[in-house]
Amino acid sequence: MWKFFIQKKMSNDLVGSLSYTYSSSKRKDADHLSEYNFEYNQPHNLIFNAGYKISEDWQIGIKFQYATGRPYTPVADIFEKDGKYYMKEGEKNSVRYPDFHKLDIRIDRFFRFDEWTLQVFLDLWNVYNRKNIATYFWNDVE
């Protein structure tokens, strides 16, 4: 695994960071079995954060994330036996879900009092409504 990270500290009311991680995670259940992708193997992960201080009381921030789709075991065949349907699995974790990405926006408002500060925020997740796939489900319908 290796990771790259760069950050811009707050200056001129702007802050930001960019990180990229590459990793590979394989499993082997026994010496005589072949190696396969671990279920959480996501080789590429990119995150970009940026924030802007609009005024003493207002801030806005964005976060973009991209990650490689996780591996899963595909269905190789569906067959019927004695009136019931069965699923034959393919090679373990040999294909991947679609890549994942999203954009989040956050708006913060600060209310300052003599001895304390109240911070209220609104988080908008996945603002472009990307349909990221977490898993597939198969079932037999009679």
Side-chain angles (χ1 to χ4, degrees):
M1 178 173 93
W2 58 270
K3 184 172 188 169
F4 170 79
F5 179 80
I6 188 168
Q7 180 180 31
K8 182 191 183 316
K9 300 256 182 179
M10 185 68 79
S11 63
N12 295 330
D13 302 322
L14 188 64
V15 65
S17 67
L18 176 69
S19 69
Y20 170 76
T21 304
Y22 175 81
S23 65
S24 181
S25 180
K26 306 279 186 176
R27 294 288 167 126
K28 192 172 186 177
D29 293 333
D31 287 338
H32 67 283
L33 296 175
S34 60
E35 189 176 74
Y36 63 91
N37 286 317
F38 180 55
E39 64 186 278
Y40 296 107
N41 179 340
Q42 289 182 285
H44 305 284
N45 195 340
L46 174 74
I47 298 174
F48 171 73
N49 285 297
Y52 181 68
K53 185 176 177 183
I54 299 168
S55 70
E56 287 301 312
D57 296 331
W58 290 93
Q59 281 183 227
I60 189 166
I62 63 168
K63 175 183 176 185
F64 175 79
Q65 181 179 6
Y66 166 86
T68 307
R70 292 184 304 107
Y72 71 93
T73 303
V75 174
D77 192 19
I78 296 175
F79 59 94
E80 187 255 334
K81 181 179 178 182
D82 299 326
K84 291 199 171 205
Y85 287 92
Y86 296 89
M87 179 177 66
K88 179 181 176 191
E89 291 186 338
E91 188 178 338
K92 186 166 184 146
N93 291 347
S94 61
V95 295
R96 292 188 176 275
Y97 292 110
D99 293 349
F100 169 96
H101 55 87
K102 68 176 187 152
L103 176 69
D104 302 334
I105 297 176
R106 177 173 165 148
I107 301 168
D108 291 79
R109 170 70 161 100
F110 298 88
F111 298 92
R112 301 175 198 292
F113 301 97
D114 291 338
E115 307 259 338
W116 58 285
T117 301
L118 173 65
Q119 180 179 2
V120 179
F121 63 89
L122 173 66
D123 258 335
L124 303 171
W125 294 351
N126 194 17
V127 295
Y128 54 83
N129 199 28
R130 163 84 174 173
K131 304 271 190 261
N132 289 303
I133 296 174
T135 190
Y136 294 130
F137 293 97
W138 290 270
N139 62 13
D140 57 353
V141 178
E142 297 182 320

